[in-house]
Amino acid sequence: MGAAGPGRARYPFRVSLRLYDTTTRSVRDFVPRSPGEVGVYLCGLTVQSPPHIGHLRSAVNYDVLRRWLLHSGYQVTFIRNITDIDDKVLSKSIEAGVPFWVLAFANERILAEQYARLGVLEPTYEPRATGHVPEMHELIATLIDGGHAYVADDGSGDVYFDVKTFERYGALSGQRPDSMQAAEDGPERAKRDPRDFALWKGVKPDEPAEAFWPSPWGRGRPGWHIECSAMCRRYLGAEFDIHGGGLDLVFPHHENEVAQSQAAGLPFARYWVHHGLLNLGGSKMSKSDGNVVDLPSIEAAGIRPVELRYYLAAPHYRSVIDYSEESVREAASAWRRIEGFAQRASERVGAVEPGVLCAEFVEAMDDDLNTSKALAAVHDVVREGNGALSGGSDSAVRGALASVRAMMGVLGLDPLSPQWTSSDARTAGLRGVVDSLVALALEQRASARTRKDWAAADAVRDQLKQAGIVVEDTPHGPRWTIEGQ
C-alpha cells in the first residue's frame, strides 16, 4: 500500500456507501431520499449532568459519518437535539436546589465545550426539547384523533400512546409485543395496556412549579419519546435519511419514535444507524450508576483531546469498547506515530496540502464506515513515508504526507490542522518559552560540538533528556520533541 500517486486508484467524486440498518439487520446501499442531499438526526444528550466519554463516542462516531458524507459531495443537514426536560433533569435539579433550566443550560454549555475540544463539527441546528412543545402538541393531537393515543381517565392529564393500535410495534428492535415489559413512565392503573408509553405527563404535586406547560389536556410536560419525533419533522420533514443513536436507545426510545411517527402518517427515518456502547468494568457507562470516565479525568492522565478522539474513532462504530487506561495510552501512541511523521515530513519538505485518498481507505470507509481498516491504511502510508524520509526521497515524502493529511482529515484527525496544532494563549505562551530555552541549550550544544568538546555536548543533551526533551540529530539539524509525544 502506498500514498496515492500516478497509477494508483483515485478517490471517486461520490462514494458507494453501505451502512448497517438496524431495521433490516443488514448492510444496505445508502441511497438518499433526495440526490445530493442527506438529512441526519442524532439523538443528543439528556443534560442532567456533564457528559462522560461514552457520550463523546456518540458525537465522534456520527461526526465521522457526517465528514465522510460531506467529503463525498453531499449537502448534509445535521440535527442533534438536547433533552433539557425529563424525569432525570428534574430529579437532579431538585437535589441541587436550582430550577431545572439552570441545571440543564449549565450542563449544555459544558457539553458544547467538550464537543469543540474533540473537534466535533457543530450541528446544522441543535434544538432543545423545551423549545418545541407546540410541535409536540400538534403531533399528540393527530395521534389522539387517529385513535392511536388517549387521555388517561384518572384525572392526571397524562396522555398515552396505544401500542395495540400499531401493528408493526417491535419491528425495529426485533421484539414481540407480548414479551415486552411494561413502560415505566406512568402508573399502570392509568393505562389501557402496561406497554403503552407517555406522550404527555400531567403536573404532579411533587414536581417543581416551573416544570410545566399548558396543553389541551391540562398543564404538564412532554414525555421523552415525543420530542424527537416532533423535532425530526420540524427540521427534516416527514421523511429523512438517517436516524442515529446508541444501541441502548433502540428500545424503547427509538421503537416508540417509529410507532408514534408512523402512526401519525410520517414515513420517518429511512436508515437507522446505531453505535456500540463504551463499557467500564464490563458494564455500560452510566451517569446514574456513577460508572463513568470523563474528559477532564482523561486529560489529567496526560491524554490530549485529539488522542481521545483517535481512541473513540479507531474501533468500528458498531463495536463495543471496553475502556481501560492501557487501551487509551495505546491509542495515544498510535496517534503520536502519525503526528510524528507529519511533523518530520513537514519540516523536511515544507507545507503540503491534503491530497488524494488512497483506494484502500475509500473502500474501508464505504464499507459501513470501517474506521479500523481505514486507519490501518493510514499507518501503511506512514510507514512508507518514514522509509522515504530515511531514504531521502522528498517527492515520496510529499506524496505520503499529502495522503496522510487527506485521510486523517476525513476522520477529523489531520495532525497539521490548526484544530490540533494551535492551543489556548497560555499554552501557546509556554510553548514559546520552552522553544526559546531549548534553542539556547541546542546552541550551546552546537558550540561544544564545533570545538569538539563532546563531553559538554553530551551533558547538554542528557540534561534536556532529564527535563523530558528528546533531541534527534537529522541531516537538517537537531529537532526536539517532548518525551512520549
Side-chain angles (χ1 to χ4, degrees):
M1 151 119 206
R8 294 194 62 81
R10 300 288 185 167
Y11 166 72
F13 175 70
R14 287 290 175 88
V15 295
S16 179
L17 175 62
R18 304 180 74 236
L19 290 172
Y20 184 88
D21 176 28
T22 303
T23 304
T24 62
R25 288 151 187 77
S26 65
V27 177
R28 297 172 53 203
D29 291 341
F30 175 67
V31 180
R33 179 176 176 274
S34 300
E37 300 179 2
V38 180
V40 181
Y41 184 92
L42 173 62
C43 276
L45 265 63
T46 300
V47 285
Q48 82 264 25
S49 58
H52 56 67
I53 62 172
H55 301 131
L56 299 179
R57 180 192 189 184
S58 175
V60 168
N61 285 168
Y62 292 99
D63 189 59
V64 169
L65 168 61
R66 182 185 183 187
R67 287 172 183 267
W68 186 237
L69 292 170
L70 289 169
H71 194 81
S72 305
Y74 291 107
Q75 179 181 334
V76 182
T77 300
F78 191 92
I79 307 299
R80 183 183 65 216
N81 77 301
I82 291 288
T83 299
D84 56 348
I85 179 68
D86 86 330
D87 294 346
K88 296 176 181 178
V89 173
L90 291 182
S91 176
K92 291 291 185 179
S93 69
I94 292 171
E95 289 179 18
V98 299
F100 80 88
W101 41 267
V102 171
L103 177 83
F105 186 61
N107 289 322
E108 182 182 336
R109 293 185 67 180
I110 294 171
L111 178 64
E113 187 269 338
Q114 294 192 10
Y115 281 164
R117 287 174 62 76
L118 287 180
V120 174
L121 299 173
E122 292 185 356
T124 307
Y125 191 62
E126 192 166 31
R128 300 187 185 101
T130 54
H132 297 79
V133 173
E135 288 93 336
M136 299 181 211
H137 287 169
E138 181 181 355
L139 189 55
I140 293 170
T142 298
L143 291 169
I144 292 174
D145 292 343
H148 293 288
Y150 58 92
V151 181
D153 58 10
D154 61 355
S156 63
D158 294 343
V159 181
Y160 294 99
F161 183 86
D162 191 342
V163 167
K164 288 183 178 178
T165 68
F166 188 70
E167 293 182 356
R168 296 184 300 279
Y169 193 72
L172 178 66
S173 60
Q175 297 191 65
R176 293 174 54 86
D178 56 9
S179 64
M180 294 177 181
Q181 296 181 345
E184 298 178 351
D185 54 1
E188 289 191 25
R189 59 177 171 76
K191 299 179 180 182
R192 296 175 182 173
D193 187 300
R195 296 162 298 184
D196 293 350
F197 57 89
L199 301 172
W200 186 257
K201 295 185 173 186
V203 168
K204 306 298 187 294
D206 58 343
E207 292 180 347
E210 73 274 5
F212 73 85
W213 288 258
S215 85
W217 316 284
R219 296 188 308 164
R221 56 185 174 84
W224 177 29
H225 316 295
I226 195 66
E227 65 176 88
C228 289
S229 290
M231 288 187 279
C232 284
R233 180 169 68 167
R234 173 68 177 81
Y235 296 103
L236 296 174
E239 183 181 33
F240 58 98
D241 296 299
I242 299 173
H243 195 312
L247 275 174
D248 55 332
L249 298 181
V250 175
F251 188 88
H253 186 48
H254 289 166
E255 190 75 72
N256 292 349
E257 282 188 55
V258 171
Q260 65 200 9
S261 297
Q262 293 186 356
L266 308 176
F268 210 51
R270 293 162 60 90
Y271 297 81
W272 284 89
V273 178
H274 291 96
H275 68 84
L277 302 182
L278 197 158
N279 292 341
L280 176 61
S283 60
K284 168 194 166 187
M285 279 198 185
S286 170
K287 291 183 285 189
S288 58
D289 296 334
N291 185 42
V292 300
V293 175
D294 57 18
L295 179 57
S297 65
I298 290 283
E299 291 187 284
I303 303 297
R304 293 175 289 168
V306 65
E307 293 164 349
L308 177 61
R309 181 182 174 103
Y310 183 98
Y311 170 74
L312 296 173
H316 191 282
Y317 75 91
R318 287 195 285 119
S319 66
V320 174
I321 298 178
D322 289 309
Y323 172 83
S324 70
E325 185 174 336
E326 180 183 4
S327 63
V328 173
R329 295 198 180 279
E330 288 175 354
S333 295
W335 155 257
R336 291 169 188 174
R337 287 194 293 273
I338 298 171
E339 180 186 38
F341 162 71
Q343 291 172 343
R344 291 189 297 273
S346 60
E347 289 172 3
R348 173 76 162 268
V349 299
V352 174
E353 292 300 310
V356 178
L357 302 179
C358 73
E360 293 88 344
F361 182 91
V362 173
E363 181 182 358
M365 293 299 291
D366 276 349
D367 182 18
D368 194 28
L369 301 177
N370 192 335
T371 51
S372 178
K373 189 175 179 181
L375 280 168
V378 174
H379 283 283
D380 283 345
V381 176
V382 167
R383 281 191 288 272
E384 292 185 3
N386 282 327
L389 282 169
S390 300
S393 175
D394 285 359
S395 62
V397 171
R398 288 190 190 93
L401 179 57
S403 183
V404 167
R405 290 201 65 190
M407 292 185 287
M408 294 299 279
V410 167
L411 301 176
L413 287 165
D414 177 5
L416 300 184
S417 166
Q419 168 78 33
W420 311 121
T421 57
S422 62
S423 52
D424 59 66
R426 180 185 175 196
T427 301
L430 288 174
R431 174 73 186 207
V433 171
V434 173
D435 277 337
S436 298
L437 291 174
V438 173
L440 179 60
L442 291 178
E443 286 177 10
Q444 294 173 345
R445 179 172 177 262
S447 297
R449 288 164 66 92
T450 299
R451 63 177 185 267
K452 298 184 178 180
D453 187 351
W454 310 118
D458 290 344
V460 171
R461 183 170 183 159
D462 291 344
Q463 288 172 351
L464 287 172
K465 185 175 182 179
Q466 289 177 4
I469 304 296
V470 178
V471 178
E472 176 187 2
D473 291 312
T474 76
H476 303 277
R479 67 183 301 274
W480 66 270
T481 56
I482 297 175
E483 188 172 14
Q485 294 185 14

